[in-house]
Amino acid sequence: MNSLGGRRTARRPFFMNRFSQVMIRFLSLIFPALLLFPVVNAGDLSEITDSLNSHPPELIYRIDITDDTISLAYATVHLNRGTLWLSRIDSVSNCAAFFDGDGSFVYRPPDDMETQQVQRFYGSDSAIVPFDEIYFAFPSGSKFPAAFIARAVKNEPPFDIRNKYSRIIKIPEQTLKYNLTLDIYKAAIENRQNFLWIDIAQGSAHTIYSYNPYDREQISLYLYSPRFSAPQLVSSCTDSEAAVPFRHEYDLFHYDISLDISTTGKSSLFCKMQLGLEQNGLKLLQFGFPAQYDVDSALSGGEKISYYKQKDHSLLTISIPDNNRAGDTITVAVAYRANLFYHLINRGVVQENLIQWYPHCDYRHPANFDIKYTIDKGYDFISVGEKQIDSLLDGRQLLEFTTAFPVTYASFNYGLFDTLAFVADSIPITIYSLSRAHGGKLLNRGNIKKVADDILGAFRFYSENIAPYPFKTLEVDDISVDYGQSSPGMVHLAGVTYDKSVHGVDDLFRAHETAHQWWGHLVVPKTYHDVWLSEGLAEYSATLYIQTVKKEEKQFHELLGAWKKAITTKGATALGLSDGYRAGAIALGSRLRSELSPADYNIIIYYKAAYMLHMLRYQLDSTDTDPGNFMRLLSDFANRYGHKLATGEDFIETVRPYLGARTDRFFKHWLYGWKIPRIEKKYQKKENGSVTLDLYVTDIDSDFETPYPVRFKLSDNSSLTVIYSLKLGNNHFKFHPGNRLTVKNVEFNPDYDILEK
């Protein structure tokens, strides 16, 4: 599809015979600008990209290699013996090189967290990969070929080299669903010459090293082999020696969306976006965009502009006018069509995508929204934002919602609902439950009162102890899926929680999703490393609701025990295959979704992060189960970073005045580290009624230290809990109860307050 949304006709080749092919080669040697590859700043984006994909860089230079080394950020490529083939590197945007021979690639991760991930995938602290072929892709102007060009000799590669090269250059598109060609073209025309892609091949296994100057973490390492269905992200890190600090390309700060909704066919959407440019020289802007959506046109300043949307790829690229500079504000718009809904037997209409049905950028990037909906009349409709218009036109309902301040994303829902409305702390709260008339034949929504009880209880607990509720209303709706999703001012709950209420499951689920109004929407995680600030804090806040509001002390400690079991278990779980804590540190965030152990994102980001917060609370509040220092800490954090992007480091700095000198050590082990201590416990009763304790700590770093509770049951049937400080190695203690009492029994860590194997 071209930029005008019409049908693009195939072009006949300009040169048709063997003589013409010879002439092309002759002319390309004399006049490089006549190459059949797009030159910098040429033409229509769709035509350019299609041409680049159809005509990859042709290898025309040969360099004989004996013992050459290429130094990269955190990596080294050693070419032992073989032949390096190089494409033209002047007057074209996309360049390539291909090495056939033996060599080795070594990636040395920059820190312990990345080292642990490399060890999981490669079995050693560094990724050491011998190879027999390697492919380099880079933009014109790259420094990469400088060391070789002086030795280059024009030479057409033999058939077997062309065949190997043809096979390996298809991997980004066919395997990763990644248009490498387009990204290299973008880097070339925007003068980002340090973009580099390397595919290190050994048989059917591929290690991919990427240096992308557009990313916050420029360096990425992927592993792809027959053991995986898709490439696995092994390591991702920032280049500490980058010449230019990372800056976003743009700040997308305002959406104006018109949506004509159809539940039986494709809905029509028009999305206008205001962006503040943050870099000079930008020519192409890229947005996340659902792969199955159809783009009809793109505009800027009322004029049609070029765009590229590849089928089955979740990326939209738009060409913006030249001569823009950092600090400029531009407006771009996209007209598109999408199936926003699908139909399930016995469930009725279900939304396909709750929160990414419009072009988006970066991780949870806040923006203002002005959304106009057109729907068939007769339905209840709820949306993120405050309702401005609700009217009828030509028999259809027109609604408009706007947000009062930037929010992370927008969602909506509509249908035929039963409702329960009330007011808490001057905030109107409405619970929506799908009725049978909505289209679901087996709906049995008899649980709306229990849903309302948990929503109200959690709402009041968070409002009173963390921060005032940040939105003007709270609307809680019923969606016919098996998960929950919180949006600003809205909570989408899985329909099953309206059907039944399982003790210890549904109450926690409802409180967790409600907590996201504070953790996720009031305080917004800045990067994927910080997602635990949303999920971990929501999970533990919900658990505090269970303990402090519902007074379910037994259930609270059962949850800690269940978390511990999940974290320390390796093998099959209810969530899928798990390595437990061995999967990696909490700070790895969304990278924990790997095929090695797909269950571990939930286990680490929800359970282990919540457990870390419990241990922090234990250190701050000792054995006191009432909110104290810990709740004041959460309130400080919420008020300091309300309506802001926050990082794990921001949370640590908020903790520091409370935890003092222990702060860095605590987070080093529990947030950035992955190890869990093993504690061997022995005790011996003495004739005088006292007890000696030996607690031997292993499997943890040398500077580890933790409080550790021991409960002594005494001869008068009373109990006394003593908190000891444990370090790596043997910890020896003596306990004497006094008052002629003796110790009957000893319980170690009886309430699961400290995470251990």
Side-chain angles (χ1 to χ4, degrees), residues 432-699:
Y432 296 82
S433 176
L434 285 170
S435 68
R436 288 178 179 271
H438 183 73
K441 298 178 181 178
L442 298 181
L443 295 176
N444 181 28
R445 304 299 202 235
N447 213 30
I448 190 170
K449 180 64 169 60
K450 290 185 178 180
V451 172
D453 288 344
D454 281 324
I455 297 297
L456 178 59
F459 175 91
R460 283 180 167 160
F461 175 63
Y462 305 147
S463 294
E464 293 169 3
N465 292 282
I466 297 174
Y469 179 68
F471 305 101
K472 289 188 176 181
T473 61
L474 176 60
E475 297 181 299
V476 182
D477 64 300
D478 177 349
I479 54 174
S480 295
V481 294
D482 57 359
Y483 60 88
Q485 174 69 54
S486 181
S487 293
M490 294 180 68
V491 176
H492 306 289
L493 292 179
V496 66
T497 200
Y498 285 84
D499 292 335
K500 58 184 179 179
S501 190
V502 178
H503 183 70
V505 176
D506 286 282
D507 46 2
L508 184 70
F509 167 65
R510 298 163 191 153
H512 174 104
E513 295 303 332
T514 304
H516 279 310
Q517 298 300 310
W518 286 263
W519 311 124
H521 297 307
L522 175 62
V523 178
V524 181
K526 186 173 184 177
T527 74
Y528 75 86
H529 290 293
D530 312 307
V531 66
W532 68 273
L533 293 175
S534 176
E535 300 299 350
L537 276 167
E539 187 75 0
Y540 193 61
S541 296
T543 311
L544 288 175
Y545 161 72
I546 297 295
Q547 183 189 32
T548 61
V549 177
K550 301 193 76 172
K551 306 298 183 184
E552 295 277 3
E553 194 70 30
K554 180 182 177 183
Q555 182 186 345
F556 174 81
H557 290 290
E558 286 175 349
L559 284 168
L560 290 177
W563 292 347
K564 175 186 174 182
K565 182 178 180 180
I567 294 165
T568 57
T569 296
K570 181 176 182 177
T573 72
L575 297 171
L577 189 65
S578 169
D579 271 350
Y581 69 91
R582 305 165 193 82
I586 294 169
L588 284 167
S590 57
R591 284 170 51 194
L592 290 161
R593 289 190 177 103
S594 80
E595 290 185 29
L596 287 179
S597 50
D600 286 328
Y601 173 79
N602 282 40
I603 289 171
I604 302 299
I605 298 302
Y606 287 68
Y607 303 160
K608 189 183 176 187
Y611 217 129
M612 175 184 72
L613 291 164
H614 177 72
M615 290 188 289
L616 176 60
R617 176 189 174 207
Y618 188 75
Q619 294 211 27
L620 296 180
D621 293 353
S622 187
T623 57
D624 184 5
T625 58
D626 293 326
N629 283 332
F630 181 75
M631 293 307 299
R632 284 189 286 275
L633 162 66
L634 293 189
S635 180
D636 282 354
F637 183 60
N639 284 287
R640 184 179 301 182
Y641 292 98
H643 303 296
K644 295 178 182 177
L645 297 171
T647 67
E649 290 297 319
D650 294 328
F651 186 80
I652 291 170
E653 291 309 309
T654 307
V655 169
R656 196 175 301 281
Y658 291 86
L659 196 59
R662 297 170 289 170
T663 303
D664 291 333
R665 182 173 61 239
F666 178 87
F667 287 103
K668 173 195 171 187
H669 289 289
W670 296 115
L671 178 60
Y672 298 110
W674 62 276
K675 297 177 183 177
I676 291 177
R678 183 183 302 279
I679 304 175
E680 183 181 345
K681 313 159 190 84
K682 295 180 181 179
Y683 70 93
Q684 186 175 7
K685 297 179 183 179
K686 300 295 183 179
E687 292 183 359
N688 62 358
S690 65
V691 171
T692 60
L693 306 173
D694 284 284
L695 304 176
Y696 195 74
V697 180
T698 59
D699 297 355

Side-chain angles (χ1 to χ4, degrees), residues 1-6 44-46 296-298 304-308:
M1 184 178 296
N2 68 6
S3 64
L4 301 182
D44 175 86
L45 182 57
S46 290
D296 293 321
S297 62
K304 288 188 175 181
I305 55 176
S306 180
Y307 71 88
Y308 186 75

